[in-house]
Amino acid sequence: MTDEGSPRRVRVAVVGSGPAGLTAALYLSRAQLAPVVISGVPSGGQLMLTSDVENYPGFPEGIQGPELIERFRAQAKRFGTEFVDANVTSVDLTRRPFRLELGAAPPLLADALVLATGADARWLDLPSEQRLRGHGVSACATCDGFFFKGVPIACVGGGDSALEEAMFLTRFASQVILIHRRAELRASRIMQARARANPKIAWRLDTEVLEVLGGEKVTGLKLRHVPTGKVSEIAVGGLFVAIGHEPATKAFKGAIALDPKGYIVTESITRTSVEGVFAAGDVYDHRYRQAVSAAGLGCMAALDAERYLAEHPAE
């Protein structure tokens, strides 16, 4: 027993409760390591904002994102995973056991850590955009492009990822309108050349989105031409926002190696710059960003953490 407010020590803690964190917890709990998941508030990751998930193996009819997360959670809990609904505010990784500060909750000490806090898509911060997320507004072409067969859609952004998303979306949409608020794109010249050569991509440069139109689903956009201030509307069935992601690593800055964009740096797939600390999912994988790849990385991080703990008995 520990006094209320005093630190509690566990063998392994998982920070994050998306597919990566919950898969790690499943494997660690089946290894009899009694993992504690710091689930975050809100919990569940990006899938909690996703309606239809049709590309996760094992669900031929598709499944709602929140339901998939609940199944992940229930499976991990079945084998003994404990959940703490709190956010990690800071960490001390300079010595074992590692110390996690959890705001109003008591601190946690852990002999090993799996960091799976994910990355959040950057949005346009429009009320109409927030209201229609999952109803025609998306930040993942690979996840949701299939739902827009034969309809015109828009993609916002000016970097390589935006052009990649736009070109991918041309496989499904009748037309993809690329919207960027500046006259010049940030994307590499080769990516621009490829996009310019695609007849299904139309261009609205020097343009910003003022409002996403639609009641229960996206029906169009209200745009403003930046140099002239002229406002216009276009009819589209969907909006894909491709202006980047923000890794959830604020609590780890200064404690672990991060790249210039804030993603955790790893070697040998899941190992971080601190021995005994492992990373999984979108918190370091900024290329694939899929639920199934995050789950796979969660499995790898758990197996690496299990081996580490076997080599480092509790003191």
Side-chain angles (χ1 to χ4, degrees):
M1 295 290 292
T2 58
D3 295 332
E4 185 175 353
S6 63
R8 176 165 67 104
R9 183 169 178 174
V10 299
R11 282 295 273 158
V12 58
V14 178
V15 186
S17 57
L22 294 177
T23 302
L26 170 62
Y27 273 77
L28 291 166
S29 59
R30 292 188 76 250
Q32 304 295 305
L33 289 169
V36 172
V37 172
I38 312 303
S39 59
V41 182
S43 64
Q46 293 295 299
L47 279 184
M48 296 299 291
L49 305 174
T50 305
S51 53
D52 296 316
V53 179
E54 294 193 333
N55 57 359
Y56 198 90
F59 298 94
E61 304 303 323
I63 187 171
Q64 296 288 299
E67 182 184 354
L68 182 57
I69 284 295
E70 183 54 38
R71 291 193 179 201
F72 272 117
R73 186 180 175 109
Q75 192 172 7
K77 191 173 183 179
R78 173 191 169 197
F79 291 102
T81 296
E82 178 186 344
F83 292 87
V84 176
D85 294 326
N87 291 314
V88 174
T89 56
S90 64
V91 298
D92 181 357
L93 306 182
T94 59
R95 57 185 175 178
R96 287 183 68 213
F98 306 119
R99 184 182 177 101
L100 305 177
E101 299 293 340
L102 306 180
L108 194 69
L109 304 178
D111 295 323
L113 293 176
V114 174
L115 305 181
T117 47
D120 298 317
R122 295 193 183 105
W123 298 95
L124 302 174
D125 292 329
L126 301 173
S128 54
E129 170 199 50
Q130 305 299 316
R131 178 173 57 83
L132 289 166
R133 275 197 210 174
H135 299 278
V137 174
S138 172
C140 181
T142 307
C143 307
D144 299 326
F146 178 82
F147 300 112
F148 296 89
K149 285 186 174 181
V151 299
I153 58 178
C155 182
V156 177
D160 279 352
S161 61
L163 269 58
E164 287 177 2
E165 298 254 295
M167 287 188 287
F168 177 83
L169 290 167
T170 61
R171 302 179 187 183
F172 310 102
S174 59
Q175 183 183 51
V176 178
I177 302 168
L178 199 290
I179 301 168
H180 185 51
R181 60 184 175 180
R182 298 186 178 90
E184 300 293 330
L185 299 170
R186 302 188 312 276
S188 61
R189 290 189 178 184
I190 188 169
M191 287 298 299
Q192 292 191 46
R194 289 173 182 171
R196 292 283 187 186
N198 193 316
K200 294 182 72 174
I201 296 180
W203 301 83
R204 288 292 189 102
L205 303 181
D206 269 335
T207 299
E208 63 180 355
V209 178
L210 294 180
E211 185 180 356
V212 185
L213 305 175
E216 296 183 358
K217 62 180 181 179
V218 174
T219 59
L221 301 174
K222 182 181 289 186
L223 307 176
R224 184 175 76 90
H225 187 241
V226 176
T228 64
K230 182 179 178 180
V231 175
S232 61
E233 294 184 5
I234 59 172
V236 294
L239 171 66
F240 286 80
V241 181
I243 56 177
H245 288 73
E246 191 75 31
T249 54
K250 182 179 179 180
F252 313 136
K253 288 181 179 178
I256 202 167
L258 306 176
D259 72 10
K261 293 184 178 180
Y263 290 92
I264 294 176
V265 175
T266 64
E267 56 184 50
S268 299
I269 306 181
T270 74
R271 290 175 175 81
T272 71
S273 61
V274 177
E275 187 181 17
V277 180
F278 307 89
D282 294 5
V283 74
Y284 83 89
D285 169 29
H286 47 80
R287 179 174 181 178
Y288 298 104
R289 292 197 296 261
Q290 299 297 302
V292 68
S293 58
L297 291 167
C299 166
M300 297 179 204
L303 294 175
D304 286 342
E306 182 183 349
R307 293 188 186 102
Y308 171 80
L309 289 171
E311 297 167 0
H312 295 80
E315 298 175 357

